[in-house]
Amino acid sequence: QVHLVESGGGLVQAGGSLRLSCAASGIIFTINVMGWYRQAPGKQRDLVATRTSDGSTTQADSVKGRFTVSRENAKKMVYLQMNSLKLEDTAVYYCYVKYFNSVTRAYVERWGQGTLVTVSS
């Protein structure tokens, strides 16, 4: 059973910083992609930032220069350092993993339960 447990969300003032963490367990295969998505109230879930196992990153334009995604492959951990937070960053942030199941020969994607980040003025 795959489990993704996020932590680090909370309330922060605009301009402040937060660091999200996510621990993945129950995955015996190499995790190709780890990262974060977010969903603001009334909006769809969007990619924030992801990092592959070989270090390549993808980021939403809206967070470039402010957010940094990192991971510890051996620990199956992924982090999101969020600086210069803006009101529009308020959302539920979901941990995301993608890996190749060599038994079923299929890619698998999973999301965590989410952690709320609220940015206040």
Side-chain angles (χ1 to χ4, degrees):
Q1 192 81 345
V2 176
H3 289 287
L4 302 177
V5 179
E6 302 109 332
S7 61
L11 176 65
V12 63
Q13 284 192 320
S17 298
L18 277 178
R19 187 186 193 224
L20 305 182
S21 300
C22 174
S25 62
I27 303 173
I28 63 172
F29 307 100
T30 299
I31 302 177
N32 302 95
V33 183
M34 297 188 80
W36 299 88
Y37 281 68
R38 69 184 179 186
Q39 187 167 17
K43 296 188 177 182
Q44 66 180 21
R45 189 176 299 184
D46 291 323
L47 178 143
V48 177
T50 60
R51 191 175 184 94
T52 65
S53 55
D54 62 2
S56 298
T57 60
T58 300
Q59 284 187 308
D61 288 342
S62 60
V63 306
K64 285 180 179 178
R66 301 188 299 122
F67 291 10
T68 302
V69 60
S70 60
R71 57 186 284 183
E72 292 185 80
N73 293 333
K75 294 183 179 180
K76 292 184 171 60
M77 295 283 297
V78 63
Y79 309 95
L80 185 67
Q81 179 65 45
M82 304 185 291
N83 299 328
S84 302
L85 282 160
K86 303 176 180 180
L87 297 179
E88 53 265 39
D89 294 318
T90 295
V92 176
Y93 285 70
Y94 296 90
C95 180
Y96 166 82
V97 299
K98 180 179 180 180
Y99 61 93
F100 183 72
N101 185 322
S102 59
V103 175
T104 63
R105 307 290 297 172
Y107 281 97
V108 178
E109 295 179 300
R110 291 288 185 268
W111 281 264
Q113 293 297 308
T115 185
L116 178 62
V117 173
T118 303
V119 184
S120 65
S121 58

